[in-house]
Amino acid sequence: MSTNNDFSSSSNRPNKFGTSDRRSRFQQIAHELGKLPPQATDLEEAVLGALMLEKDALSVVIDILKPETFYSEAHSKIFEAITNLFQKSSPIDILTVTAELRKMGALELVGGAYYLTQLADRVVSAANIEYHARIISQKYIQRELIQISSDTIKKAYDETSDIFELLDGAEKSLFDIAQNNLRRDTQKIDDIMRNAVDALEKLRDRTDSLTGVPSGFTALDRITSGWQPSDLVIIAARPAMGKTAFVLSCARNAAVQYDKPVAVFSLEMSSVQLVNRLISGETEIEQEKLRKGNLADHEWTQLHSRIGKLTEAPLLIDDTPALNVFEFRAKCRRLKAQYDIQMVIVDYLQLMHGKVDGKGGNREQEIGSISRALKSVAKELNIPVIALSQLSRAVESRPGNSKRPMLSDLRESGSIEQDADMVLFLYRPEYYGLTEDENGNSTAGVGEVIIAKHRNGEIATVPLKFVGKFVKFTDLEDDFGSPDSFSAGMSPSEEFNSGIITRSSRLNDMNDDPF
């Protein structure tokens, strides 16, 4: 139709979606390349005609098309008018669309009421509207890719461009296209049910109760059944509680004992420092000696004889400082494709950036975007993502011996608490000079893992053994008996000795569901 071609080439009036500027850039790029931009104006006409013929047609394509998806600006305006009517729950037909375009001041620009009539006359039914809409969307994505590629090429020739900012910007643009256009379809329950039953049948054949990545701590794994796929796990504590030691112990156990590929993103410590900690825990040579290199002959022999399994373990370490969420997502995708990683650890969340340029605006909002991105990666790759987090100083200011952390102690707690599937706190009474717990048990070398939020399981406290000189956590069974002896009806002291302390959750006192 000549009308829309004339309009798309002559009109440059921007609308609220900013499509005019984008379209002008498409045309400029196409002119430079000597090619027409990818387009399907005939299908655009068919879709718009079908939308004005059948009242239920829009519900089929409303999540596929947007005004800017259309190549012709006339078609973009018409679709904008149709969506305006849809939002007001008004009927959609030739007359109402004509009235809405007149109200928008765009009726003559799109070719008048006569052009709308021509669009409706071009189709008989909306039978193939979804198929047509997907082709239109594909053409739009192609145009966006051309624009991104062209902009990247121009900036790459500019010697003043920062190469890392260029990479981040290009990756962000590509990610935005995927997020905004490539959405997962809704599934029928029978398909989901079939997948769920298949998963249950696989679990039936297992000889253990672990359904996720094992932490290597017996009592903790019995509660969690391992770190679960698609879960975001937040592990928080005050400084010097052993956050890094705990997650490194988890990473080592999963990689060495269970051969699960694990990726560790360390934003605070260098990769060499992390490996030295792992070596200390594996060889049981004190961290202080490794740092100074002051090892006796027998300790050198001990080191070389024990690091074999650790050297061969599928453990990947990335110590990129000031990592932003887009770099993190891209790296995780590559690691998943290359090594099939089964778990990701981030040390720690507050050192990440939510924006490519490092300017996140309000810090709480930026932390919210980071936690959502971590959860999105966990869900997309279907792996657990464990992120360390700092606690506020409110813990230290509490009077008396009440130093156990709670959910409100999380820094920027609203977003983190909301996005996390599990929130665990690390607490070592010994750090605060407490030699005994409330039941008279010695707290020497004891570190508690407090499960404060567990979306799919129970809330409990699991005591572990913290070996400071080797910078690692282990089960308490050597000193307190096997955790497998736990059973219902125990006294509090018996529960501690078994390896688990179960506490009633403060969340149970809330009237509203916080999840």
Side-chain angles (χ1 to χ4, degrees), residues 236-253:
R238 290 293 295 153
M241 285 294 156
K243 296 188 297 295
T244 303
F246 177 75
V247 293
L248 279 183
S249 297
C250 292
R252 179 267 171 202
N253 294 342

Side-chain angles (χ1 to χ4, degrees), residues 142 217 515:
Q142 287 178 268
F217 302 118
F515 308 136

Side-chain angles (χ1 to χ4, degrees), residues 296-316:
D297 290 342
H298 75 277
E299 289 174 324
W300 282 110
T301 303
Q302 181 177 329
L303 184 148
H304 288 294
S305 65
R306 292 190 181 184
I307 62 173
K309 289 184 179 180
L310 188 60
T311 303
E312 298 172 0
L315 192 56
L316 307 155

Side-chain angles (χ1 to χ4, degrees), residues 47-109:
V47 166
L48 292 173
L51 292 175
M52 291 185 289
L53 278 181
E54 298 191 15
K55 64 177 182 178
D56 297 326
L58 184 61
S59 60
V60 178
V61 299
I62 192 69
D63 60 341
I64 301 173
L65 300 176
K66 300 180 289 292
E68 60 265 33
T69 309
F70 291 84
Y71 176 72
S72 165
E73 192 166 354
H75 296 163
S76 177
K77 285 288 186 181
I78 295 170
F79 189 76
E80 182 183 346
I82 290 172
T83 54
N84 288 346
L85 292 170
F86 178 77
Q87 291 170 2
K88 294 184 288 188
S89 299
S90 300
I92 299 171
D93 56 36
I94 295 175
L95 296 177
T96 56
V97 173
T98 300
E100 183 65 23
L101 284 167
R102 184 178 290 113
K103 182 179 178 181
M104 293 166 56
L107 180 59
E108 296 305 318
L109 293 176

